[in-house]
């Protein structure tokens, strides 16, 4: 040790002579010329802090190293005469001294922790200067989350006010660095707010509004509360596809791009045009029109959802359950580990190709009604069926065009809302019967594995037990999608957070309708929305999950962006007064016996 000792009980007339003599004997002997050991004490500033004595001394010496100054010890008029201060080369810090850089790091010791004879001893060394290398090609997200949290809503508002003042005084601060530091250097409390902003601007207006407890639409607020229940991933089915889906995510997130490339490498083997070319095509082009053909629609949905699942997984967001709507159930089976990527893509390609080859002469119509009410209307027809029950009051009919058109007219006359869906085939109807044998034959060639994540079947609406059976996949293709029952089952299994993995929010709407009558807090979040920019939508979805208590690996989110830690305001404590008033109502004055007959009680 060659610099300084911070000794809690030493340095004043009331100091501990035994400790001082031990320090002189240990560190004060055979020192280099002109290099005495400097001795100071935090006790002169704070008094005896008992159990906090050690940590106070550590904080003092870390800050001394940081600022290059050895602080003076206060009130040191006369050192205790009991100690032989000339027995070694030691200097009391009667004045502050500079602590210059020299060969090797600065070192100091902290001695005499605690009280009543506790005398631990800790040696501190200045950390090496770490050279932070810039990533070769940092990829800054186009949308950034600024995370704030506190013990109360008022605390969140105060945090926003302090942060606003901080960034306004330091306009040179990078929004990326601030976002990263907020996410990785601050304790996360139950009351939370997430501000969505770009990579070039500070969200001043959002901070100002939040500081006044009037958040803007770009601010997500939530409360984590007690330990949340389970998380379910819901994989979207056909009809959610849109031109350009995944293009922005592909450019913004390398994990997504790598996963999407891996899936497309398997699917492109049997497609006339590369799948990415179709997915990323501009709306209105010939390539974009292919996306609505079943032969491309189903592979594209599987590819997007698998890549989005891998990206979400890389950020530490993991499901306790998975489920998928129609073609989305194959994605769920792959995510759960039942099917390898090669086997899953084989099943997807067979399903899409065989469906595409069927005559395009069917119709699908969405109807606002219940399964109980619709059954009498369809039981006399063998050419139509219920394709999906998405919520207790929303279902889809599928089958012969003439039969369904007449039925839809009748249902509207009875006051039911109907909508014809823009599809080429009547999925989940008798029209699928012609392909079931061939599809099952493909399913029989695959290898099935036990699930690593519990999966709930949307074919049965219950926990899946038959997904290893090739016959299941043929039945699933033909039968009704019982999505509403699936959500009810997940709720019964303790699921409180539902995350839609797909290009839109159709399943989120249906899940919300199903959960509307459920007691307790439920969170339903689509990661992508049709009308939003993809990166902003995804970051907003993840921010919504964070605000409602779902754990997110934020360092992984910012990995590869080149973000660095910067200094930010500390916690905005809500100052409250806890002192009792001098005179208590109904109590006795000091020393006087009140109604209780005792001078203190009352």
């Amino acid at each position: 040790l060659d610099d300084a000792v911070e000794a809690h009980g030493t340095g004043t007339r009331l100091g501990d002579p035994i400790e001082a003599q031990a320090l002189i004997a240990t560190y004060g002997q055979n020192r280099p010329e002109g290099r005495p050991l400097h001795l100071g004490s935090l006790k002169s500033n704070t008094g005896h802090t008992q159990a906090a004595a050690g940590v106070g001394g550590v904080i003092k010496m870390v800050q001394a190293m940081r600022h290059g100054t050895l602080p003076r010890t206060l009130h040191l008029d006369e050192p205790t005469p009991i100690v032989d201060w000339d027995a070694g080369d030691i200097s009391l810090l009667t004045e502050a001294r500079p602590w210059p850089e020299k060969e090797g790091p600065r070192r100091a010791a902290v001695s005499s922790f605690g009280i009543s004879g506790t005398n631990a001893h800790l040696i501190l060394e200045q950390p090496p200067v770490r050279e932070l290398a810039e990533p070769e090609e940092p990829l800054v997200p186009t949308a950034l989350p600024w995370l704030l949290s506190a013990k109360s809503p008022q605390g969140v508002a105060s945090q926003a006010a302090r942060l606003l003042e901080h960034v306004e005084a330091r306009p040179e601060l990078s929004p990326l660095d601030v976002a990263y530091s907020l996410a990785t250097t601050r304790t996360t409390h139950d009351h939370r707010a997430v501000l969505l902003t770009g990579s070039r601007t500070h969200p001043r207006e959002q901070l100002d509004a939040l500081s006044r407890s009037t958040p803007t639409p770009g601010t997500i607020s939530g409360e984590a509360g007690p330990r949340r229940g389970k998380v379910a991933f819901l994989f979207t089915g056909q009809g959610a596809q849109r031109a350009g889906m995944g293009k922005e995510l592909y450019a913004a997130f390398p994990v997504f791009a790598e996963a999407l490339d891996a899936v497309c490498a398997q699917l492109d083997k049997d497609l006339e045009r590369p799948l990415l070319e179709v997915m990323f095509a501009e709306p209105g082009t010939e390539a974009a029109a292919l996306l609505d053909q079943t032969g491309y629609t189903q592979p594209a949905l599987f590819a997007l959802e698998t890549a989005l699942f891998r990206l979400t997984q890389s950020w530490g967001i993991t499901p306790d359950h998975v489920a998928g709507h129609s073609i989305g159930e194959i994605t769920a089976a792959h995510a759960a580990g039942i099917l390898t990527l090669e086997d899953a893509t084989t099943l997807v390609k067979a399903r899409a190709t065989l469906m595409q080859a069927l005559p395009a002469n069917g119709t699908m119509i969405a109807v606002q009604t219940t399964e109980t009410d619709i059954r009498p209307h369809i039981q006399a027809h063998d050419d139509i069926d219920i394709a999906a029950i998405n919520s207790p009051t929303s279902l889809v009919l599928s089958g012969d065009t003439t039969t369904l058109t007449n039925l839809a007219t009748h249902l509207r006359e009875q006051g039911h809302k109907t909508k014809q869906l823009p599809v080429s085939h009547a999925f989940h109807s008798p029209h699928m019967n012609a392909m079931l044998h061939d599809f099952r034959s493909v399913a029989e060639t695959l290898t099935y594995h036990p699930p690593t994540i519990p999966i709930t079947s949307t074919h049965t609406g219950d926990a899946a037990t038959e997904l290893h059976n090739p016959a299941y996949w043929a039945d699933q293709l033909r039968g009704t999608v019982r999505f509403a029952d699936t959500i009810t089952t997940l709720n019964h299994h303790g699921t409180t957070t539902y995350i839609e993995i797909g290009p839109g929010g159709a399943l989120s709407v249906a899940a919300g309708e199903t959960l509307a009558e459920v007691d307790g807090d439920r969170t339903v979040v689509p990661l992508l929305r049709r009308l939003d920019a993809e990166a902003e939508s995804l970051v907003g979805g993840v921010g919504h999950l964070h605000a409602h208590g779902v754990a997110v690996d934020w360092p992984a989110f910012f990995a590869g962006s080149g973000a660095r830690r910067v200094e930010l305001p500390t916690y905005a404590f809500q100052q409250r007064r806890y002192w009792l008033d001098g005179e208590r109502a109904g109590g006795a004055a000091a020393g006087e016996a009140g109604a209780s007959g005792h001078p203190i009680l009352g």
Side-chain angles (χ1 to χ4, degrees):
L1 191 75
D2 59 3
D3 289 321
V5 169
E6 165 67 20
H8 184 71
T10 300
T12 69
R13 191 172 183 85
L14 299 178
D16 183 345
I18 298 176
E19 180 186 5
Q21 289 168 176
L23 293 173
I24 293 171
T26 305
Y27 294 128
Q29 309 302 311
N30 303 315
R31 299 193 62 78
E33 183 69 25
R35 292 277 298 277
L37 183 75
H38 297 292
L39 179 63
S41 177
L42 180 66
K43 186 177 180 181
S44 68
N45 299 84
T46 63
H48 206 312
T49 50
Q50 301 186 33
V55 70
V58 170
I59 291 171
K60 176 182 174 181
M61 296 318 296
V62 169
Q63 289 292 82
M65 288 182 182
R66 182 182 184 189
H67 293 281
T69 300
L70 292 168
R72 64 176 289 215
T73 297
L74 305 181
H75 317 302
L76 186 54
D77 299 327
E78 181 183 354
T80 176
I82 301 175
V83 176
D84 183 2
W85 298 103
D86 296 325
D89 194 1
I90 192 164
S91 174
L92 298 177
L93 286 165
T94 56
E95 298 294 338
R97 288 178 174 271
W99 198 353
E101 295 278 0
K102 59 183 183 304
E103 293 183 9
R106 299 182 177 110
R107 294 188 185 92
V110 179
S111 188
S112 191
F113 291 16
I115 195 171
S116 300
T118 304
N119 194 7
H121 195 80
L122 177 70
I123 296 177
L124 303 173
E125 181 176 284
Q126 181 182 13
V129 177
R130 194 170 49 166
E131 295 294 335
L132 296 177
E134 287 281 358
E136 292 184 5
E137 294 184 9
L139 191 60
V140 180
T142 55
L144 296 172
W146 282 32
L147 313 181
L148 291 89
S149 71
K151 292 281 191 177
S152 66
Q154 296 78 15
V156 174
S158 297
Q159 288 289 100
R162 297 188 73 176
L163 185 57
L164 176 61
E165 182 181 357
H166 184 80
V167 297
E168 285 188 333
R170 299 164 182 81
E172 73 282 359
L173 281 177
S174 159
L176 172 65
D177 291 344
V178 175
Y180 173 72
S181 301
L182 286 170
T184 62
T185 69
R186 293 294 181 267
T187 298
T188 303
H189 300 286
D190 285 347
H191 293 271
R192 305 176 183 182
V194 180
L195 283 62
L196 299 181
T197 187
S199 59
R200 300 180 182 275
T201 57
H202 295 156
R204 291 182 174 86
E205 292 184 4
Q206 292 165 267
L207 286 170
D208 179 59
L210 184 59
S211 71
R212 293 180 281 106
S213 300
T214 55
T216 62
T219 301
I220 302 163
S221 297
E223 183 178 357
R227 183 181 180 277
R228 294 189 63 81
K230 296 178 180 179
V231 174
F233 280 10
L234 309 176
F235 294 91
T236 318
Q238 191 162 347
Q241 70 276 3
R242 53 184 171 82
M245 65 181 189
K247 185 176 182 179
E248 186 178 338
L249 300 184
Y250 189 88
F253 301 106
V255 172
F256 179 90
E258 182 180 353
L260 190 58
D261 285 341
V263 179
C264 290
Q266 294 289 334
L267 293 169
D268 283 347
K269 298 173 183 177
D270 299 297
L271 295 175
E272 293 183 4
R273 299 186 71 161
L275 188 57
L276 284 186
E277 184 180 314
V278 175
M279 291 174 62
F280 294 171
E282 291 295 323
T285 63
E286 178 187 354
L290 291 175
L291 188 61
D292 290 327
Q293 293 188 14
T294 299
Y296 286 94
T297 305
Q298 296 187 16
L301 288 171
F302 174 82
L304 174 83
E305 292 170 10
T306 298
L308 188 54
F309 170 72
R310 298 301 175 198
L311 177 60
T312 307
Q313 197 177 38
S314 75
W315 293 339
I317 306 172
T318 55
D320 300 292
H321 296 276
V322 294
H325 193 290
S326 192
I327 182 64
E329 190 160 61
I330 299 181
T331 315
H334 171 56
I338 295 173
L339 294 170
T340 64
L341 179 60
E342 183 177 0
D343 281 345
T345 53
T346 297
L347 196 62
V348 168
K349 287 184 289 187
R351 195 178 195 270
T353 302
L354 291 170
M355 282 186 174
Q356 183 72 49
L358 293 172
N361 58 359
T363 296
M364 299 183 76
I365 296 177
V367 184
Q368 281 193 344
T369 187
T370 66
E371 180 181 7
T372 301
D373 288 344
I374 202 65
R375 284 293 178 191
H377 294 282
I378 67 172
Q379 61 187 6
H381 304 282
D382 58 6
D383 55 355
I384 63 173
D385 204 346
I386 300 177
I389 302 172
N390 293 324
S391 77
T393 58
S394 175
L395 52 81
V396 177
L397 302 178
S398 180
D400 181 76
T401 299
T402 301
T403 303
L404 277 182
T405 301
N406 293 335
L407 178 57
T409 300
H410 176 66
L411 291 172
R412 284 194 298 273
E413 290 173 352
Q414 290 189 334
H416 297 285
K417 292 183 179 179
T418 68
K419 179 182 178 181
Q420 185 167 335
L421 303 182
V423 296
S424 58
H425 295 78
F427 305 116
H428 298 281
S429 80
H431 283 216
M432 300 292 104
N433 292 343
M435 62 167 284
L436 296 182
H437 174 75
D438 291 341
F439 183 62
R440 177 172 175 171
S441 297
V442 173
E444 288 173 346
T445 68
L446 309 180
T447 302
Y448 300 89
H449 305 273
T452 56
I453 304 172
I455 181 169
T456 304
S457 166
T458 51
H459 174 54
T460 65
D462 208 344
T465 58
E466 300 179 5
L467 270 64
H468 62 283
N469 187 343
Y472 172 86
W473 293 103
D475 294 340
Q476 186 259 12
L477 181 153
R478 166 63 181 86
T480 301
V481 179
R482 307 194 71 86
F483 183 73
D485 291 342
T486 299
I487 296 300
T488 300
T489 297
L490 289 170
N491 180 65
H492 287 162
H493 282 94
T495 302
T496 58
T497 302
Y498 301 80
I499 305 173
E500 182 170 357
I501 309 291
L507 293 189
S508 298
V509 173
E513 292 175 353
T514 304
L515 295 167
E517 303 301 322
V518 172
D519 293 332
D521 181 28
R522 300 292 183 273
T523 300
V524 183
V525 178
L527 291 185
L528 297 179
R529 303 174 188 269
R530 283 184 177 274
L531 300 179
D532 292 346
E534 284 187 332
E536 181 180 351
S537 175
L538 177 58
V539 175
V542 173
H544 193 97
L545 295 173
H546 167 83
H548 289 82
V550 176
V552 179
D553 184 349
W554 290 111
F557 176 89
F558 286 97
S561 67
R564 295 183 174 183
R565 293 186 178 187
V566 294
E567 289 193 16
L568 296 174
T570 52
Y571 187 78
F573 288 99
Q574 301 300 291
Q575 303 296 333
R576 297 168 62 188
R577 186 177 185 276
Y578 290 95
W579 293 107
L580 297 176
D581 293 334
E583 293 186 6
R584 299 288 300 277
E592 298 180 2
S596 66
H598 193 281
I600 296 178
L601 301 179

